[in-house]
Amino acid sequence: MASSLFWYVREFFRAEWIRKFLFARTAPLVTPPHFRGFPEPTGRTCQHALFCMMACPAPGAIEVVHAGDGWMPKIHKGHCIRCGLCVEACPNGVLKSGRILETMEREGTSLIFSFRIAIDLELCTGCGNCCTACPVNKEADAQMGAGGHSSNDEVIMRVQDGDIVVIHEDKCTGCKTCEASCPNGAIRIARILEGSQEPVPEGVQ
Amino acid sequence: MKRVVDVNIPLGPIHPCFKEPARLKCEAKGERIIGVEVELGYMKKGIERIMKGRPWQEVMFLAERVCGICSVIHNLVFIEAMEQISGIAVPPRAARLRVIANELDRMQSHLLANFSYCYTIEHETLGMYLLDLREQVMDELERLTGARVTCAYIIPGGVRCDLRKEEAAALLASLERMEGDLRRYTGMFENGPMIALRSRGVGILTPDAAERAHAVGPTARASGIAVDCRMNHPTYRQLGFAPVTRPDRDNFARVMVRFDEVFQSIGLIRKCLTDLPNGVVRGRGVCTAGEVRYSGEAPRGELTYFIRSDEFGRIVEIQIQTPSIMNIEACCHEMIIGSDSIADVTATFISADPCIACTER
Amino acid sequence: MSLLQRIKNKVRARSIHVAYVDVGSCNGCDIEVLACLAPRYDIEQYGIYVHNNPREADVLLVIGAYTPGWEEKLAMVWEKIPSPKAAIAIGNCPISGCLFNRRETFIDPPVRKHIPIAAEVPGCPPRPTEILQAILSVRDSVFFNWEAEHP
Ligand code: SF4
Ligand code: SF4
Ligand code: SF4
């Protein structure tokens, strides 16, 4: 008992405690500047790379919509988890959230996307739907017919002798249009995200 | 032999003392508790099923949301497992920053657990002191990572952002302040005779029983068993880590182990900050195919991820083993049995720091 | 406005009793609600008391994404609350199901389908200050002049 009393009496007679007791005021309920809030536009032009949508882990959180004569990402509150991946994935710095953009620029960090095409040849029937659906193919070879045949070497993939062949995997923009068009679920796009940082100059840290 | 049960008392799923829904069905003979069953199933979301077929950038966030209280460790264990699969090296500075984030998270989790315990035994003053201290830890975590809970700080090959020089100084200063405050609060807990009446000798978990129930984390360490996965972690080994144990095996010991570990965490963060290596915080590396079983020490005990991934680093198979299920088992089948009153049931249950969200996922 | 109503408004504004129910969250929002109790935010200075007992509550904070275990039970909890009452959805989980709302999941969001929701606080998890503001906003929008608007 006595020791307990001692601890409490000691606690209540500390100068700091008395000061707090007499002049108690709730701390102002402010949000610190480094808190990652909902992403906001910085005012730079959106290039419609859609990397933000691809990086976003939350279903239905971000959408790139028409704004005036350009594009702009739109955040849906209630879906967005404020993770800030869209800010890091955007190559143009269109979004900002807390200090993320500023740190990225200072430390030279970024998230890099690369896309890989995997085709299950067991499932693929060589119908060519994916080749015609692909927007990059359309750009490269506007003449590509329904069978996915093309004589153009600039296309991402084409059908040769009844089999699908991927020529330029590096041109893939990760849009997954082909996945949706494949009747057998044979083609799958992997969106690979990789962190990177430029070397830190001497004496900065 | 027929068991004589006078009353069946269900506690929960909504109970003022429980943070999360679980139902304890207690069988009492007079005032004495002779059996407890826990009924779960209020939180099952099927996280492991959702994770399948997704790349790390989505699974990482799902892993964090297995448990919102100790989110950093889930982030850490998942990412380190992926790094082991893919052979991604972590820059030394990033490894230290991970330890800092992890230890800050452990501090806030332990303080929250001890707050819950104090609140359950109706010692609100101390509970509020601890909750206030926890807010200061949350501030530090927020300054480091940018978010209070579910920080998403650790990514394959490093961390999301660096710790600046002035931030490191501020962190050191507030560690100093927190340590002083915590020393006083620990003293209040240790020397309070009323607290001792509710805690000492209540909810005994003998080392044998702990082993039978596979208790882990502070619950096992309070029974004198020195298990801690941090002993096997390379960065922690560099820091000279040794687990905290206590021999006295009761509620009091479990709370005190957590207090001791907060002090230990403060020490570890200090060590990390004093010789923080220079360099980048983010290496490069792509996740690939492989299979691994990887464990880390969560605030509540050993956390294991079993992962199999395909050639593009997408999850094919994942199993998560969280610590709370073993501790809840130890709690229901060993610690609570023989309690002298129903009031001790909630206190004992909370003292094992059960986390229903990660148990059920 | 009658005198009685005025007294009721005055009293109600300073005595909001809160219960929270976790219908399958990750705990992140749970502990942020708990953090509101901390001296930093000091929820009681606004006349808000957390009791976690539905029978004496005015405001129900719903946390989590509605797992099958809560079917019928949540509606039961809601019915136990005496009027006037309001439910607030805390976090993304009750609003949209957060990250868990994918195929293969067990949850059944949004909670709006199951009980009426008066206010929503987006964020995963929302900050304690945002939770505080939401509770204060339903105080003004739901409890003010309740009798006059619900004859
Ligand atoms: S902050 Fe995260 S959840 Fe929100 S839109 Fe960006 S990537 Fe999606
Ligand atoms: S759409 Fe599918 S089946 Fe058709 S060629 Fe492409 S991958 Fe093969
Ligand atoms: S909204 Fe986010 S933090 Fe809150 S319970 Fe859901 S997943 Fe957890």
Side-chain angles (χ1 to χ4, degrees):
Chain A
M1 199 69 213
S3 71
S4 175
L5 222 61
F6 168 74
W7 274 93
Y8 284 95
V9 168
R10 216 181 76 167
E11 176 71 17
F12 298 150
F13 277 94
R14 279 189 315 125
E16 200 200 335
W17 194 92
I18 296 173
R19 211 194 63 235
K20 265 195 194 155
F21 182 78
L22 293 178
F23 303 101
R25 249 197 287 130
T26 332
L29 302 180
V30 288
T31 308
H34 45 263
F35 174 69
R36 269 189 337 232
F38 289 109
E40 288 161 7
T42 50
R44 293 183 219 175
T45 342
C46 172
Q47 308 279 357
H48 202 249
L50 299 183
F51 285 172
C52 52
M53 281 173 75
M54 294 177 199
C56 179
I62 188 166
E63 229 180 341
V64 180
V65 294
H66 272 295
D69 44 2
W71 299 88
M72 208 57 216
K74 185 170 184 298
I75 310 289
H76 294 284
K77 291 186 182 174
H79 292 257
C80 172
I81 60 170
R82 309 198 264 207
C83 68
L85 273 197
C86 52
V87 178
E88 289 202 40
C90 181
N92 307 313
V94 173
L95 291 169
K96 69 165 190 282
S97 160
R99 267 188 339 200
I100 296 179
L101 197 61
E102 181 198 324
T103 2
M104 275 174 68
E105 276 161 12
R106 207 194 43 228
E107 288 159 15
T109 53
S110 57
L111 286 179
I112 305 164
F113 258 116
S114 56
F115 307 102
R116 304 284 301 278
I117 304 173
I119 296 168
D120 190 342
L121 289 175
E122 301 267 293
L123 292 174
C124 177
T125 56
C127 70
N129 282 359
C130 50
C131 309
T132 38
C134 176
V136 180
N137 273 4
K138 240 175 242 159
E139 196 103 313
D141 182 6
Q143 264 76 49
M144 185 183 267
H149 303 284
S150 172
S151 51
N152 192 328
D153 285 339
E154 294 304 305
V155 294
I156 294 182
M157 58 209 161
R158 64 185 176 201
V159 178
Q160 284 174 357
D161 310 326
D163 269 336
I164 179 139
V165 181
V166 179
I167 312 170
H168 287 291
E169 200 174 41
D170 50 302
K171 282 195 183 171
C172 177
T173 56
C175 69
K176 292 202 179 186
T177 315
C178 48
E179 259 189 48
S181 74
C182 178
N184 305 326
I187 186 163
R188 284 196 70 194
I189 303 296
R191 293 170 177 169
I192 293 171
L193 200 56
E194 187 188 355
S196 90
Q197 183 176 16
E198 282 146 28
V200 183
E202 205 63 37
V204 170
Q205 285 156 346
Chain B
M1 198 183 82
K2 195 168 162 288
R3 283 220 298 186
V4 188
V5 176
D6 288 349
V7 260
N8 268 313
I9 304 168
L11 294 177
I14 300 184
H15 188 279
C17 291
F18 294 173
K19 295 189 296 279
E20 305 153 79
R23 169 172 269 173
L24 289 183
K25 287 191 261 174
C26 310
E27 296 172 339
K29 184 169 182 295
E31 277 275 285
R32 189 170 292 271
I33 311 297
I34 57 172
V36 182
E37 277 309 319
V38 67
E39 185 187 295
L40 301 172
Y42 295 97
M43 308 271 281
K44 181 83 184 157
K45 301 177 283 282
I47 291 188
E48 281 141 308
R49 284 157 55 109
I50 307 171
M51 281 175 174
K52 281 183 195 153
R54 300 189 180 280
W56 69 262
Q57 67 263 30
E58 290 183 19
V59 178
M60 170 181 134
F61 292 95
L62 280 165
E64 272 192 330
R65 280 161 186 74
V66 169
C67 176
I69 302 181
C70 45
S71 59
V72 171
I73 186 75
H74 281 269
N75 191 187
L76 179 80
V77 172
F78 170 70
I79 295 295
E80 288 194 346
M82 286 313 277
E83 281 168 355
Q84 293 230 324
I85 286 178
S86 332
I88 300 173
V90 184
R93 189 178 175 89
R96 292 295 166 96
L97 287 176
R98 283 179 179 185
V99 168
I100 293 176
N102 190 16
E103 290 309 314
L104 281 172
D105 193 52
R106 187 182 315 277
M107 281 165 73
Q108 62 92 0
S109 173
H110 279 350
L111 287 173
L112 185 77
N114 286 356
F115 152 78
S116 300
Y117 183 76
C118 291
Y119 201 70
T120 311
I121 62 167
E122 301 281 341
H123 197 310
E124 271 194 50
T125 315
L126 187 51
M128 285 303 159
Y129 280 161
L130 293 177
L131 207 55
D132 195 28
L133 192 61
R134 177 175 174 270
E135 280 307 307
Q136 297 173 24
V137 183
M138 295 303 263
D139 282 350
E140 295 309 318
L141 198 59
E142 187 174 15
R143 182 154 46 195
L144 178 65
T145 66
R148 289 165 53 92
V149 186
T150 56
C151 314
Y153 185 57
I154 297 159
I155 59 171
V159 295
R160 296 259 306 264
C161 51
D162 202 351
L163 184 72
R164 292 183 226 181
K165 220 186 281 155
E166 59 279 12
E167 286 170 359
L171 178 54
L172 269 177
S174 67
L175 281 182
E176 199 72 41
R177 202 181 54 237
M178 286 190 277
E179 194 176 22
D181 280 351
L182 189 66
R183 191 141 282 141
R184 287 206 325 278
Y185 304 154
T186 317
M188 285 163 82
F189 189 86
E190 215 169 358
N191 298 306
M194 298 300 163
I195 294 175
L197 277 179
R198 285 297 305 270
S199 319
R200 283 199 205 253
V202 176
I204 300 276
L205 180 72
T206 57
D208 283 348
E211 258 165 33
R212 214 178 314 135
H214 302 284
V216 285
T219 310
R221 291 198 281 276
S223 296
I225 305 174
V227 288
D228 196 317
C229 290
R230 284 178 283 175
M231 288 189 291
N232 307 327
H233 192 283
T235 323
Y236 280 99
R237 264 212 298 250
Q238 281 171 18
L239 294 169
F241 172 83
V244 180
T245 57
R246 267 187 183 247
D248 26 358
R249 312 181 282 185
D250 48 7
N251 286 358
F252 182 79
R254 283 186 278 278
V255 175
M256 283 311 291
V257 162
R258 272 185 228 118
F259 274 130
D260 291 348
E261 288 193 7
V262 175
F263 285 118
Q264 188 190 33
S265 297
I266 292 178
L268 284 171
I269 297 174
R270 270 215 195 102
K271 252 189 215 166
C272 284
L273 283 175
T274 42
D275 57 340
L276 199 60
N278 287 344
V280 294
V281 295
R282 240 188 238 198
R284 292 193 69 152
V286 175
C287 295
T288 54
E291 187 180 304
V292 77
R293 181 180 292 278
Y294 188 79
S295 307
E297 181 76 9
R300 286 165 188 74
E302 176 184 339
L303 169 74
T304 309
Y305 271 64
F306 169 78
I307 297 175
R308 182 168 336 121
S309 62
D310 70 6
E311 53 181 325
F312 302 122
R314 286 182 298 222
I315 305 299
V316 178
E317 175 79 53
I318 185 161
Q319 283 161 15
I320 308 170
Q321 191 193 25
T322 52
S324 288
I325 188 74
M326 282 90 84
N327 287 344
I328 289 175
E329 158 88 17
C331 188
C332 291
H333 293 156
E334 312 287 351
M335 281 153 45
I336 296 181
I337 308 286
S339 297
D340 287 332
S341 82
I342 210 80
D344 283 345
V345 173
T346 42
T348 310
F349 190 64
I350 297 294
S351 82
D353 196 9
C355 170
I356 312 292
C358 73
T359 307
E360 300 186 12
R361 309 186 280 284
Chain C
M1 206 192 294
S2 69
L3 185 63
L4 184 64
Q5 183 70 62
R6 237 178 256 168
I7 294 173
K8 279 186 175 172
N9 283 348
K10 189 111 190 134
V11 173
R12 263 189 205 138
R14 295 294 302 169
S15 133
I16 305 278
H17 290 247
V18 169
Y20 59 87
V21 47
D22 181 343
V23 293
S25 78
C26 78
N27 266 354
C29 291
D30 260 27
I31 53 168
E32 289 298 69
V33 171
L34 215 63
C36 290
L37 292 174
R40 162 86 57 92
Y41 303 104
D42 195 11
I43 197 166
E44 299 197 346
Q45 72 176 320
Y46 302 99
I48 305 170
Y49 305 92
V50 179
H51 282 306
N52 217 12
N53 178 356
R55 286 189 201 278
E56 58 174 311
D58 303 306
V59 171
L60 181 70
L61 305 184
V62 185
I63 304 159
Y66 203 80
T67 53
W70 281 94
E71 247 157 65
E72 294 164 17
K73 292 207 184 71
L74 182 62
M76 256 165 60
V77 171
W78 175 241
E79 270 153 28
K80 277 184 191 153
I81 301 177
S83 299
K85 60 186 173 183
I88 304 178
I90 305 284
N92 284 357
C93 275
I95 302 176
S96 69
C98 203
L99 298 184
F100 312 125
N101 194 5
R102 306 270 198 178
R103 67 187 148 76
E104 299 273 301
T105 182
F106 292 125
I107 58 165
D108 184 20
V111 171
R112 215 180 305 124
K113 282 197 304 210
H114 308 285
I115 60 169
I117 297 284
E120 291 176 338
V121 193
C124 181
R127 294 177 69 79
T129 45
E130 293 168 344
I131 297 173
L132 260 174
Q133 272 163 7
I135 301 177
L136 292 177
S137 79
V138 299
R139 177 183 78 184
D140 300 336
S141 66
V142 176
F143 297 117
F144 189 74
N145 269 352
W146 191 80
E147 275 80 6
E149 282 160 27
H150 299 79

